[in-house]
Amino acid sequence: MKKVEAIIKPFKLDEVKEALIEAGIGGMTIVEVKGYGRQKGHTEIYRGAEYVVDFIPKVKIEVVVKDNQLDLVVEKVIEHAKTGKIGDGKIFIYDVRKAIRIRTLDVNEDAL
């Protein structure tokens, strides 16, 4: 099993979520996050005062999938999150050693 974490622009969330659902992904966790990378921050003006916004709002999608679903998930995230502009985000992939569904005690792929 693999855990896929995708950090994307917030306005792309619905598009990516729908693509993953259509691809048969049964569940996901969404977290609102802030961060910066090459995009850095930007300057805004509020009530006449200028200030720097260091951390840019993003959304992190977390999905645990069977090994044979990994390439499809990565493909769908890239296809639907990409704008071609700086700040599109990143995808991180981790090995999952064990998963347990608390209610039924199903283990590993049965727990997905």
Side-chain angles (χ1 to χ4, degrees), residues 28-53:
M28 64 188 78
T29 300
I30 309 298
V31 183
E32 292 179 4
V33 296
K34 292 182 181 184
Y36 76 92
R38 290 186 181 161
Q39 190 176 7
K40 303 286 187 237
H42 62 276
T43 304
E44 290 187 4
I45 297 176
Y46 179 71
R47 293 189 176 181
E50 186 175 304
Y51 65 98
V52 176
V53 177

Side-chain angles (χ1 to χ4, degrees), residues 3-109:
K3 179 179 182 182
V4 179
E5 288 185 0
I7 300 172
I8 64 171
K9 293 181 176 184
F11 71 90
K12 289 297 210 169
L13 174 60
D14 286 338
E15 191 176 332
V16 172
K17 180 186 78 168
E18 292 302 321
L20 292 176
I21 290 170
E22 287 176 15
I25 303 306
M28 64 188 78
T29 300
I30 309 298
V31 183
E32 292 179 4
V33 296
K34 292 182 181 184
Y36 76 92
R38 290 186 181 161
Q39 190 176 7
K40 303 286 187 237
H42 62 276
T43 304
E44 290 187 4
I45 297 176
Y46 179 71
R47 293 189 176 181
E50 186 175 304
Y51 65 98
V52 176
V53 177
D54 292 329
F55 295 101
I56 308 298
K58 301 285 184 177
V59 174
K60 180 166 66 170
I61 301 171
E62 298 177 348
V63 181
V64 177
V65 297
K66 298 175 185 176
D67 289 344
N68 65 355
Q69 296 174 307
L70 177 62
D71 291 337
L72 176 63
V73 168
V74 170
E75 176 186 309
K76 292 297 181 183
V77 171
I78 291 171
E79 178 183 343
H80 293 279
K82 185 175 182 177
T83 66
K85 297 180 180 162
I86 194 165
D88 274 351
K90 293 220 172 32
I91 299 172
F92 302 98
I93 300 167
Y94 307 91
D95 288 321
V96 176
R97 292 186 337 180
K98 191 169 191 176
I100 303 167
R101 183 185 309 267
I102 294 172
R103 178 179 55 87
T104 61
L105 302 180
D106 290 340
V107 177
N108 293 335
E109 291 184 0

